[in-house]
Amino acid sequence: MDIQSINRSIETQKSALLQHSLYEKVETIEDLHCFLESHVYAVWDFMSLLKALQSKLTCTTTPWIASKNPETRYLINEIVLAEESDLTLDGKRQSHFEMYLDAMTSCGANTEQINNFIENVVATQNIFVSIKQSDLHPNIKAFLDFTFRVIEEGKPHEIAAAFTFGREDLIPAMFTEILRNFEANFPETDLSKLIYYFERHIELDADEHGPMAMKMITELCENSETKWKEVEEISKLALEKRIGLWDAIEEKIVKSETELV
């Protein structure tokens, strides 16, 4: 098994995600706000997948001991550098999650729910308790629960699978086009930070992080058929959970529009 066979195996889930009817439903600024206020959880939990990989594949404790694979070590540290402390549109340093929150605020979306959720995570010191206690849509809860179950299980190749294949790299390009249409149709709404966020992801994922992550999967699985099969299974599940997230957002948009009628 190899990267090509994994990609062939998950083609059904990828196609379902990329052809999802949600994209056609994001028509108004209110729809966009609804999308952002739910999608932000995927931006946030991605950082935990990344930090879990850094913990597993580099040395983050003292005394320092060199980790097994220098190439993988470099890959993870390089991605962490960009994701945790990238340059913003106005030249400051922020994580991509913080950039997303700023972009939400700039275009009028509400960040109260995600901020309250994170405060609860800090208070409970237990992500699973916080997920259960939240009033999030069941699909969003399932999405988050899956991410942190994979992290808790602790198998590096499975965490890497959720990180690499579970985050579809074509979506940023798709949403950049949607945002450009919004920019033309709603010039009074500031979408500059949001467009920058998605364009930055396209740039990093296509040119650097995507190829690096594929190489990481190959190095972690080596010739183990068991590991490759586990990567395949986790990748499919991760994409299915993302489709569930899209279903939840679409449901919320349709419901809010119905209530306005």
Side-chain angles (χ1 to χ4, degrees):
M1 221 170 188
D2 56 16
I3 293 295
Q4 287 71 31
S5 59
I6 296 293
N7 277 320
R8 286 193 298 270
S9 178
I10 63 176
E11 189 55 45
T12 298
Q13 288 81 9
K14 287 174 69 175
S15 294
L17 187 59
L18 293 171
Q19 295 167 19
H20 200 287
S21 52
L22 166 65
Y23 308 116
E24 299 172 358
K25 298 290 196 303
V26 186
E27 297 179 321
T28 67
I29 290 298
E30 289 73 25
D31 296 340
L32 178 62
H33 290 169
C34 190
F35 171 81
L36 298 174
E37 289 162 14
S38 293
H39 178 245
V40 67
Y41 292 91
V43 178
W44 176 72
D45 81 332
F46 175 81
M47 297 300 297
S48 290
L49 283 169
L50 176 57
K51 298 302 282 187
L53 283 172
Q54 187 181 36
S55 176
K56 296 288 181 184
L57 303 176
T58 75
C59 183
T60 58
T61 58
T62 57
W64 179 85
I65 305 294
S67 54
K68 179 182 176 183
N69 192 315
E71 286 294 321
T72 303
R73 185 195 314 158
Y74 169 79
L75 160 67
I76 292 300
N77 286 332
E78 184 73 12
I79 297 177
V80 168
L81 178 64
E83 293 286 344
E84 203 168 35
S85 53
D86 203 4
L87 278 174
T88 64
L89 184 60
D90 51 3
K92 297 176 182 177
R93 291 285 178 189
Q94 276 188 331
S95 69
H96 282 194
F97 172 68
E98 291 164 315
M99 286 167 59
Y100 197 89
L101 288 181
D102 276 0
M104 287 177 66
T105 301
S106 292
C107 73
N110 194 329
T111 60
E112 184 177 359
Q113 187 182 44
I114 179 65
N115 287 329
N116 288 343
F117 177 80
I118 293 173
E119 285 178 9
N120 186 262
V121 171
V122 173
T124 63
Q125 293 293 297
N126 187 316
I127 182 62
F128 300 107
V129 170
S130 292
I131 293 169
K132 189 174 182 179
Q133 288 179 349
S134 75
D135 58 358
L136 295 170
H137 188 286
N139 288 16
I140 301 177
K141 288 186 175 186
F143 178 86
L144 290 170
D145 188 79
F146 170 78
T147 295
F148 288 97
R149 296 290 173 191
V150 171
I151 290 171
E152 186 178 53
E153 184 69 22
K155 294 181 181 179
H157 60 283
E158 291 187 344
I159 299 171
F163 177 88
T164 302
F165 295 106
R167 309 294 164 140
E168 182 47 61
D169 58 0
L170 295 178
I171 287 171
M174 190 176 299
F175 268 95
T176 300
E177 288 306 308
I178 292 174
L179 290 171
R180 291 207 181 285
N181 290 334
F182 269 93
E183 201 172 35
N185 295 323
F186 303 96
E188 72 282 359
T189 304
D190 182 9
L191 297 175
S192 58
K193 289 184 177 180
L194 203 54
I195 290 172
Y196 176 82
Y197 168 86
F198 281 111
E199 287 183 337
R200 187 70 178 130
H201 263 273
I202 294 167
E203 177 186 355
L204 288 172
D205 289 348
D207 297 340
E208 301 174 35
H209 295 175
M212 284 179 172
M214 295 299 178
K215 186 177 180 181
M216 171 179 62
I217 294 280
T218 301
E219 290 176 350
L220 288 173
C221 290
E222 297 180 313
N223 297 318
S224 170
E225 193 64 25
T226 299
K227 288 183 178 180
W228 279 112
K229 289 297 291 182
E230 288 175 340
V231 163
E232 179 184 35
E233 181 181 349
I234 290 294
S235 300
K236 285 182 178 179
L237 284 171
L239 286 168
E240 287 168 5
K241 296 301 180 185
R242 173 59 73 102
I243 292 166
L245 174 64
W246 263 208
D247 290 343
I249 298 173
E250 181 178 31
E251 182 184 313
K252 290 174 73 174
I253 288 174
V254 171
K255 183 179 178 182
S256 65
E257 289 176 346
T258 302
E259 289 173 350
L260 289 174
V261 173

